[in-house]
Amino acid sequence: MTTTVRIDQHQLFIDGEFRPAGSGAQFETVNPADGTLITTVARAGEQDVDEAVRSARDARRKWRNATPTDRGRLLLAIAAQLRAESEALALIECLDNGKPISQARFDIEYSARYFEYYGGLADKLDGYVIPLGSDYHSYTTLEPFGVVALITPWNAPLMQAARGLAPALATGNTCVVKPAEDTPLTILEFARIARECGIPAGVINVIPGFGEDAGAALVRHPLVDRIAFTGSVETGRIIARMAADRLAPVSVELGGKSANIVFEDVDVDVAAFNALRAINLNCGQNCSAGSRLLVHSSIHDAVLDSMVALERGLTVGPGLEDPDVGPLTTRDQYQRVCDYLRIGREEGAEAISGGSALVDERLNGGNFVQPTIFAGVTPQMRIAREEIFGPVLCVLPFDDDDEAVAIANDTDFGLVAGIWTNDFSRVHRVSAALEVGQVYINEYFAGGVETPFGGVKDSGYGREKGLAALEHYTRMKTMVARV
Ligand code: ADP
């Protein structure tokens, strides 16, 4: 591989400066495609977290009092600079996270879109007037919380951070970001870009480090006014509990086991192609992955045949080669997916494609598994109920709409669902009955930064993206005057 990737930022970003951890501690970040060390990064401890939060706190008045137009312009400048540096950022993301370079490029563009979208909204946040008769004047304003803590996962590192940063900053909050310890690199480059664009010191702080120390210290910090978490259900519960101790508002966007429902009136090959895309994008490491494919029994076998043929043509390899499927991002995740492949077989499901780790000398040391399709899956199997977070598709047949909805809802999760049909009455009926935060109709992953996103049930609560996110990052104040 001849591509060289420049990595300049390895330190904490606190109060507008890059600096080592107070303790001098560092941790390693590893290339998931071959297991080699990419670089070492400063590891934030409690003292560093405290300094980052205090810096954000000190910066908050000036930032909230800046004109919304100025805040918006700064965000738009960041969007432009992300685009100007998109190739370099995509290469770093590809190396650190493992995703295919074209998907990394997509993530950087999506990150830029967040800053563009919320930059444009910064000066359009009105309150309203409440009519109480001529003796009173009452109106509302939307205020920032103050210091927002963003704890982000490793599956789309910059994009996940941008999703919280852009609306939080647009509405006048200052931020402390704790990226996942597995993928700290792009968000540090982002901090450099934000500083070059003129973001004042303290408005954005980035503290790479581990969850149990840096993450927990951030959640517990008394000067953090709001918390947004994206990650696993288990950690989401821990964070929500810690936040509850001091009544800090928190939103948690967690896992999924989303049903992608294919009705009998659609083109089999189109359904098959899209079902694979819904599970294999980012190597299945999407909370919204279409991991349960529900297919009407009349086309079940035809869809399976088509998927098996398509999956045979998929390329798997290092992200820099831009394959269809890259490595899993972490060694733990690789182990976890391998465990589920074994569990699926033990439960009696049939791997009609893939089914094990990828054995290929060229890919030694990397976290590669075969994209897998399990047929003969029943709703009670663990592989049908638990989030695998890998390129592992479970196929379940159904006979009518009611059964499809029943299977789709028979899960602890409730993030998204997909529907494939040309019957629009059915679209509305089924969408209404699905217990999820959003429904993709005739295109999985449809939508963009504009469309609200979040879960029900164990998939969490709160809505990110779109106008809905503004409610996350502002609180309403009501004034009532006797006149
Ligand atoms: P995974 O298990 O897949 O790594 P997590 O949900 O644990 O996913 O991680 C998501 C983010 O939460 C990461 O930034 C991680 O460091 C952070 N995190 C993990 N545990 C804690 C914790 N106890 N408190 C705060 N943050 C945490």
Side-chain angles (χ1 to χ4, degrees):
M1 187 81 34
T2 50
T3 316
T4 36
V5 183
R6 239 188 99 168
I7 293 161
D8 292 329
Q9 311 307 336
H10 314 86
Q11 298 192 308
L12 316 180
F13 184 72
I14 298 177
D15 207 29
E17 299 294 337
F18 286 99
R19 53 159 110 154
S23 67
Q26 296 187 321
F27 65 98
E28 297 183 340
T29 185
V30 167
N31 181 349
D34 59 14
T36 58
L37 175 72
I38 302 174
T39 188
T40 52
V41 175
R43 174 176 175 167
E46 202 163 336
Q47 183 64 29
D48 304 302
V49 172
D50 182 57
E51 285 171 24
V53 172
R54 286 182 191 281
S55 165
R57 175 135 176 120
D58 290 347
R60 81 193 199 291
R61 252 179 234 299
K62 203 168 153 211
W63 184 245
R64 76 182 274 177
N65 291 337
T67 67
T69 313
D70 285 346
R71 283 203 303 267
R73 280 187 185 139
L74 249 171
L75 265 56
L76 293 173
I78 291 174
Q81 197 54 30
L82 287 173
R83 289 199 171 107
E85 298 193 29
S86 68
E87 193 57 22
L89 288 164
L91 282 169
I92 297 174
E93 201 74 297
C94 174
L95 202 67
D96 205 15
N97 164 282
K99 65 180 63 195
I101 184 72
S102 58
Q103 294 176 27
R105 289 186 187 117
F106 174 88
D107 279 16
I108 307 305
E109 169 56 24
Y110 215 91
S111 305
R113 276 290 294 137
Y114 278 119
F115 284 90
E116 191 170 59
Y117 179 80
Y118 290 107
L121 276 173
D123 56 2
K124 297 167 191 70
L125 297 175
D126 301 335
Y128 51 86
V129 173
I130 300 163
L132 291 177
S134 59
D135 291 341
Y136 295 91
H137 179 52
S138 179
Y139 61 100
T140 66
T141 55
L142 291 175
E143 297 191 335
F145 279 91
V147 178
V148 171
L150 300 165
I151 298 179
T152 57
W154 43 255
N155 64 339
L158 186 59
M159 195 165 102
Q160 296 275 12
R163 189 178 78 180
L165 275 168
L169 295 170
T171 48
N173 299 282
T174 56
C175 296
V176 180
V177 186
K178 209 301 280 168
E181 48 271 42
D182 314 282
T183 52
L185 297 179
T186 43
I187 183 67
L188 290 173
E189 287 298 330
F190 169 86
R192 193 244 326 137
I193 287 172
R195 182 172 68 176
E196 285 170 13
C197 288
I199 280 277
V203 172
I204 297 173
N205 300 272
V206 181
I207 46 164
F210 284 69
E212 319 80 63
D213 45 12
L218 184 59
V219 173
R220 277 199 301 261
H221 200 293
L223 298 179
V224 167
D225 301 296
R226 204 207 186 295
I227 300 152
F229 170 75
T230 307
S232 62
V233 177
E234 205 183 7
T235 305
R237 281 192 216 284
I238 294 171
I239 286 179
R241 269 190 217 112
M242 287 195 285
D245 278 344
R246 56 186 192 84
L247 294 178
V250 60
S251 50
V252 288
E253 200 255 278
L254 310 173
K257 192 75 187 178
S258 298
N260 191 14
I261 310 172
V262 178
F263 291 96
E264 68 282 6
D265 61 335
V266 297
D267 183 301
V268 163
D269 293 328
V270 170
F273 176 84
N274 284 284
L276 291 184
R277 182 173 167 270
I279 185 65
N280 288 333
L281 194 79
N282 201 22
C283 201
Q285 301 170 116
N286 295 310
C287 46
S288 51
S291 50
R292 289 185 298 152
L293 183 68
L294 277 47
V295 190
H296 192 273
S297 22
S298 65
I299 57 167
H300 174 267
D301 292 354
V303 170
L304 285 190
D305 288 346
S306 182
M307 285 199 301
V308 169
L310 285 168
E311 195 135 279
R312 219 171 274 138
L314 291 185
T315 52
V316 181
L320 288 174
E321 293 175 10
D322 206 20
D324 296 306
V325 181
L328 291 152
T329 301
T330 73
R331 201 62 190 169
D332 283 355
Q333 191 54 31
Y334 168 80
Q335 197 49 56
R336 182 185 161 89
V337 173
C338 290
D339 287 348
Y340 275 110
L341 293 174
R342 178 183 45 77
I343 290 167
R345 285 193 304 272
E346 286 169 4
E347 287 180 310
E350 185 195 355
I352 56 169
S353 172
S356 60
L358 198 66
V359 185
D360 176 344
E361 231 169 74
R362 197 177 70 88
L363 302 177
N364 266 352
N367 304 329
F368 294 97
V369 296
Q370 297 175 330
T372 296
I373 302 169
F374 274 125
V377 178
T378 61
Q380 291 72 35
M381 290 182 181
R382 284 183 63 192
I383 54 167
R385 307 198 76 78
E386 298 173 16
E387 185 177 42
I388 298 174
F389 223 57
V392 182
L393 183 63
C394 295
V395 187
L396 300 98
F398 66 85
D399 287 323
D400 58 38
D401 294 14
D402 288 345
E403 193 188 3
V405 169
I407 298 172
N409 287 343
D410 181 18
T411 167
D412 293 335
F413 295 102
L415 195 54
V416 312
I419 300 178
W420 295 83
T421 181
N422 293 310
D423 175 344
F424 264 74
S425 300
R426 172 190 270 159
V427 163
H428 298 301
R429 227 175 25 247
V430 172
S431 298
L434 290 168
E435 296 164 358
V436 294
Q438 45 275 306
V439 182
Y440 300 130
I441 300 150
N442 291 338
E443 184 185 311
Y444 208 86
F445 299 125
V449 302
E450 308 87 344
T451 45
F453 185 84
V456 305
K457 301 182 352 192
D458 280 1
S459 293
Y461 49 84
R463 292 292 175 268
E464 301 281 354
K465 305 170 70 170
L467 293 176
L470 298 172
E471 280 176 33
H472 254 316
Y473 297 107
T474 58
R475 49 190 168 200
M476 185 172 279
K477 182 185 269 181
T478 309
M479 270 59 67
V480 188
R482 170 123 200 147
V483 295

